[in-house]
Amino acid sequence: MDLNYSSDELAFRDEVRGWLAAKLPDDLRDKVETYAELTRDDLMRWHRLLAAKGWVAPAWEQRWGGTGWTAVQRNIFEEECGAAGAPPIVLFGLHMCGPVLQRFGTEAQKQRFLPPMYKGEEFWCQGYSEPGSGSDLASLKTRAERRGDKYIVNGQKTWTTLGHFADWIFCLVRTDPAAKKQEGISFLLIDMKTPGITVRPLMLMDGMHHVNEIFFDDVEVPAENLVHEENKGWTVAKYLLGHERMSAGRTGVLKRELAKLKDFAARQPGSGGQTILADTHFREKLTRVEVEIMALELTNLRFLDAMRRTGQPPGADVSMLKIKGTEIQQTLTELMMQAADPADLHWQGVLAHRYCNMRKVTIYGGSNEVQRNIIAKATLGL
Amino acid sequence: MNFDQDEAQQLLTDSLQRFLAKDYDFEQRRTIVASPEGFSTRAWTTLSAIGVLGQALAPDHGGFGGGAVELMGAMEAFGAALLVEPFLPTMLAGRLVERAGSEAQKQAILPRVVDGALRLAFAHAERGARHDLGAVRVQARQDGGRWTVTGEKCAVLGAGAAETLVVSARIPAGVGLFLIDAKAARLTPQRTLDGMRAADITFDGVAAEPLGAGGNALPMIEEAVDFATALVCAEAVGAMKFACDTTLDYLKTRRQFGVPIGSFQALQHRMVDMYIACELARSMACLACAKADAADDAADRARAISAAKIKIADAARLVSQEAVQLHGGMGMSEELKVSHTFRRLTVIAQQFGDAGYHLARFATLDASRIAA
């Protein structure tokens, strides 16, 4: 057992760190640092900088721009981006639709969609959840009817993150209403400019516009935009869920947030002339979350190490990374609220917004209860 | 970076597991616990033959030159089997001899430890000191060339099984370490909550031999206790893994309302949380063992080991309590091993410092790191 990075890995880390120090624009770093809202342009500017360097989609097949890095290198890269205060990568194209197309797409679909996705010329969003289909995703009702060389799509998607920025949406749609629910679903790529699509903002309790409702009213989609076979969309969805959870255990951002919290608490006056950081009750909660971050980071590395040894992607156990990572995110924002002077918790400040916003993380991407169901069934055999 | 056991470690773990399965199952353990000595000299001989007693000692003294990492698999196996042999106290005191002793003392003691001929114990804790390693009131006095020790130590693990005690006592320079013949001390034996043996010890001006050159040994005590803490972290992982496995098995076989109780989501989620706690604890035990032997930075070592012990203490409490709860009434019974695992995990949660102690130590180390 050796928990240290090899000298090659350390050299790689230094290379990434050096590049980030030189190329991450100050204004973007400042926005991330102050929790300011990132615009479509901000997100795409960072995407294109990474694309120009060849680092925007490390895990892709090398033919389409993947870097050929080891799992440990990919982890180092993500950690360093998080620690440096880089904007998040929008996952829907690069981490979701891209891998799906490489696994299930036709050559023509790959040629058409992967290069603009890589370069950041087309912005993607995800059409999964519906008003009646959240955790029970397979009950979805949005209907796609085959007519000649087209599908006609009718229905509604909801909670569509950044749908108002998107050029394209990948959707799960029902192509066979008579089949058992998982068996009548297909995976369809839809141009957001198609007539019949309406995007309506859903305002969340943090007062922000991140998510949308999307209505489809006789929307015509060329049949060539079907990915994998008709009625085999659930296979694609399951493949994608595994991918999604694997990226949930990133600790670079968590470590940066922890450092900020410590720094903040060290400047907040508490009772008896000491700072909040020195307050025993606060300090115990803070240390416990720091220990949780250490445990999460090491567990993530253990999974990467197991992948290296077995050549297999980790199974349902990655759900625990999602559970713990999101619980830690929430605890950090909660402690930030506790450290703050009550007088600073007004709606013009950023902390209360952030606390409200972070309640979403244990709900999205498969709620933490669904993640527990997955571990219970797939790992524990219950 | 890798989390593997190397081939030698795997072989050691495999031999231990074979021995434990054959000669140390729950019923055999029950007999050993009930015996007057509370441990088995036969088992001890086997541990020596397998080579585990010398794993963490230097080759110069008959050992194999490993450390906590090399003992990780062994400790996990001991945790799963609820081994009650005085392995941990012998390793802890042996570490002190190796760190603080003179060459002559090391040569006189350590090869015999490796051979299984000599068991040791570390008499350090005193009533009221709780987990503060520096709170030593037992006095050492020098009269002419001779040292004597006077005072009381409490709950010294493995004292009754030990031939030689390593004893901490106050000296002008701080806390000194001494070798004392166990027969010269007055022992009041106890059985611990987890079925092991300990003793309160009274020293009435007992003849003592300073370990090494004398002087303040507190940093060495801290190092050795950190090492032992890393070992119990690994042991806890083995015990928690057993608690999880046996509880999962129970959920699948116990039927109520016409179905296995594991079909109830309320229980499934609790089982999952036990499983997650155990996996995260395992990661932290790896960290603790990896840092226990990286002696170049004492603060870094202490910080990592405190972090690990916090996680282990919290996880041990959760897993042990939930294992009993999910077993229902059967979890309370003396008959099932899970209730004994509960008791061992309860002790481990506070052994070498509970979560509260390590939270405070971590915060102190962190504050000096920020100040530096």
Side-chain angles (χ1 to χ4, degrees), chain B residues 297-356:
Chain B
D297 183 347
D300 183 50
R301 177 201 76 220
R303 192 172 179 279
I305 285 172
S306 275
K309 191 65 209 297
I310 292 163
K311 185 71 208 168
I312 295 289
D314 288 350
R317 183 166 163 271
L318 176 97
V319 169
S320 64
Q321 292 180 350
E322 290 289 80
V324 168
Q325 178 67 25
L326 297 190
H327 272 83
M330 285 310 291
M332 294 296 298
S333 82
E334 172 79 10
E335 182 192 328
L336 254 59
K337 186 176 164 187
V338 70
S339 68
H340 298 259
T341 302
F342 173 87
R343 283 151 57 174
R344 178 69 193 128
L345 284 170
T346 302
V347 170
I348 285 180
Q350 61 81 45
Q351 199 166 13
F352 305 123
D354 58 11

Side-chain angles (χ1 to χ4, degrees), chain A residues 28 41-53 55-56 87-90 94 116-122:
Chain A
L28 292 183
D41 180 57
D42 291 332
L43 293 167
M44 285 293 102
R45 187 148 55 102
W46 180 234
H47 181 127
R48 287 183 199 121
L49 278 166
L50 285 172
K53 175 67 179 169
W55 284 355
V56 82
I89 287 294
V90 180
L94 293 171
M117 190 184 283
Y118 187 94
K119 287 182 243 163
E121 293 163 356
E122 287 174 345

Side-chain angles (χ1 to χ4, degrees), chain A residues 83 86 134 143 171 198 219 236 250 274 329 360:
Chain A
R143 180 83 170 90
C171 283
T198 311
V219 174
V236 181
R250 285 173 298 162
Q274 62 179 9
Q329 276 181 293
K360 73 187 175 194

Side-chain angles (χ1 to χ4, degrees), chain A residues 288 292 299 302 309 373, chain B residues 4 269 279 283 311 314 366:
Chain A
R288 272 208 166 85
E292 290 292 307
T299 305
R302 270 178 56 214
R309 252 181 299 137
N373 290 349
Chain B
D4 302 342
H269 284 196
E279 286 301 313
S283 301
K311 185 71 208 168
D314 288 350
D366 208 38

Side-chain angles (χ1 to χ4, degrees), chain A residues 1-5 262 283 287-288 290-292 299 302 305 308-309 317 372-373 379-381, chain B residues 1-4 252 265 269 272-273 275 279-280 282-283 286 303 307 311 314 359 362-363 366:
Chain A
M1 193 175 76
D2 179 3
L3 304 193
N4 297 310
Y5 287 128
K262 275 190 194 175
R283 183 67 228 199
T287 300
R288 272 208 166 85
E290 179 159 7
V291 169
E292 290 292 307
T299 305
R302 270 178 56 214
D305 186 47
R308 173 188 62 78
R309 252 181 299 137
D317 277 355
R372 284 183 172 86
N373 290 349
T379 303
L380 302 180
Chain B
M1 161 165 331
N2 73 80
F3 290 82
D4 302 342
K252 287 179 180 174
Q265 196 183 39
H269 284 196
V272 168
D273 285 339
Y275 173 72
E279 286 301 313
L280 295 176
R282 178 187 297 280
S283 301
C286 290
R303 192 172 179 279
K311 185 71 208 168
D314 288 350
L359 283 163
F362 187 96
D366 208 38

